[in-house]
Amino acid sequence: MSNDGFSVGGSFGGSFGGGPAQGAGQPAAPAAPPAPTGPSGLVGDLARPAPAGGAAAGDVIIDVTTQTFMSDVIEASRERTVLVDFWAPWCGPCKQLTPILEKAVESARGAVVLAKMNIDENPEVASQLGIQSIPAVIAFKNGQPLDGFMGVQPESQIKSFIERVAGPVGPSEAEQVLTEADAAHEAGDLARAAELYAGVLSMEPENAKAFGGLAQCMVATGDVARAKEVVEAAPESIANDPAMAAAKAAIELAEQAGSLGDLAELEARIEADPDDHQARFDLAVALGSGPDKEKAVDHLIEIVRRDRAWNEDGARLQLLQFFEAWGPKDPSTGYGRRRLSSVLFR
């Protein structure tokens, strides 16, 4: 992850310890917001305590100055790895990196400390390290700079960087619970899955996968109104996440299906006229929000086979909406993609 040519140097003697440790350990981020409550009827009631092995933001994210650098970084790094984030208020990329970096550090559950240094107010350390571009993050271990990176990086790469300089972190408790929730959802244990998704939200109130999963559970039980409330309660910051898009697509499908009326009538229309594409399309939409997903795929594929241009390629576009709502892991999605490929590229 280190940038090519990234290097640090300089001396770490008494020049960084010349004064009393003022301002050491000040939290750099507010406490996490409370878990959402209300719309699901589960999120608040089933709230779980924070993971026992975790660490509060104030414990792992601090502000550091030239005066406190020796104690808060050099000496502290002999106990656990310290990441120093060199930033400035005027730096746009720094503002982009900060929330990603802080989230990754908090997820590391105490494996590392993040020490944030404003280089406008404290230029000496950055100068001695030869830092010429920010944001720059340097990991210190055993009193020495170990590795670093410059510029904005995605959370996945920052997590990999942390594991490289501090050792394996493993999945957080929230990630473990989310995996269990997904398994329960796939197995059809919707009550258990909803309970677990709610538990994840009590630990991570902006977890898009948990919000999306909880909404999908509501859709699967036929409670579309509550599913919409869950989606509407999600923070704006995750509104465009794929998990939220899938939940919204599932809600839209369920609403469409609910307005289609008697399925037997649609089936009778298709039997009387196999080219009644509207009846076949409506039947597919109705089936796509229930247990007969592969039958829904078959009907849409039949429309594509008979008249690809019908309703401005509407059958194929409906299949794509199915895939988004069902998710890539659903066997019906794989089945539908294979069937669509076979008819499009025959």
Side-chain angles (χ1 to χ4, degrees):
M1 179 172 178
S2 302
N3 295 60
D4 293 338
F6 184 94
S7 62
V8 293
S11 169
F12 301 102
S15 59
F16 293 137
Q22 298 176 347
Q26 295 299 314
T37 58
S40 71
L42 289 169
V43 178
D45 296 340
L46 299 173
R48 296 183 176 204
D59 295 329
V60 295
I61 303 176
I62 63 174
D63 289 322
V64 65
T65 67
T66 302
Q67 289 72 33
T68 64
F69 190 84
M70 194 67 186
S71 61
D72 286 352
V73 177
I74 302 302
E75 295 303 326
S77 73
R78 302 185 192 281
E79 300 295 327
R80 59 178 169 173
T81 304
V82 179
L83 308 184
V84 182
D85 174 23
F86 294 93
W87 68 283
W90 46 264
C91 171
C94 296
K95 295 176 182 178
Q96 290 179 268
L97 177 65
T98 292
I100 304 172
L101 182 59
E102 290 183 353
K103 182 180 178 182
V105 168
E106 290 169 2
S107 296
R109 305 191 304 284
V112 295
V113 171
L114 176 62
K116 302 173 66 174
M117 175 166 275
N118 182 338
I119 65 168
D120 279 358
E121 298 176 354
N122 303 275
E124 297 88 354
V125 177
S127 177
Q128 287 205 25
L129 290 173
I131 292 174
Q132 299 180 347
S133 177
I134 56 173
V137 176
I138 300 177
F140 283 78
K141 190 171 185 176
N142 296 323
Q144 295 294 326
L146 176 65
D147 200 352
F149 65 87
M150 291 184 289
V152 180
Q153 304 285 344
E155 184 180 354
S156 60
Q157 291 192 28
I158 294 176
K159 286 184 174 180
S160 296
F161 175 79
I162 289 174
E163 292 202 342
R164 189 165 70 246
V165 298
V169 174
S172 67
E173 182 176 350
E175 289 170 335
Q176 294 177 47
V177 175
L178 187 60
T179 298
E180 188 179 350
D182 289 342
H185 191 186
E186 291 175 16
D189 190 350
L190 300 176
R192 178 62 175 160
E195 177 184 353
L196 291 168
Y197 286 130
V200 173
L201 290 175
S202 73
M203 293 182 275
E204 296 184 358
E206 295 189 4
N207 191 301
K209 291 183 178 179
F211 263 108
L214 186 58
Q216 292 269 22
C217 286
M218 299 301 171
V219 172
T221 59
D223 198 341
V224 178
R226 292 177 76 193
K228 293 176 72 173
E229 289 176 356
V230 171
V231 168
E232 290 168 359
E236 187 176 348
S237 59
I238 64 171
N240 296 322
D241 187 275
M244 298 305 298
K248 293 172 186 176
I251 289 171
E252 184 176 342
L253 283 177
E255 289 180 327
Q256 287 178 315
S259 65
L260 293 176
D262 186 6
L263 301 189
E265 180 182 340
L266 294 173
E267 291 172 342
R269 286 173 56 188
I270 296 169
E271 186 175 352
D273 180 8
D275 285 327
D276 187 342
H277 297 327
Q278 186 62 58
R280 193 181 294 276
F281 181 89
D282 290 346
L283 181 59
V285 170
L287 295 173
S289 62
D292 295 324
K293 296 176 183 176
E294 291 191 0
K295 288 184 179 179
V297 168
D298 292 341
H299 280 297
L300 291 175
I301 291 296
E302 184 64 15
I303 295 174
V304 173
R305 189 185 68 80
R306 287 173 177 267
D307 185 358
R308 166 73 185 273
W310 177 81
N311 198 22
E312 298 181 348
D313 202 17
R316 185 186 66 86
L317 295 177
Q318 183 61 58
L319 272 171
L320 298 183
Q321 187 184 25
F322 279 163
F323 301 158
E324 182 178 42
W326 298 341
K329 294 182 180 180
D330 192 307
S332 298
T333 297
Y335 173 78
R337 290 192 187 281
R338 290 190 299 272
R339 289 226 54 197
L340 182 59
S341 177
S342 68
V343 75
L344 291 180
F345 304 107
R346 60 185 177 182

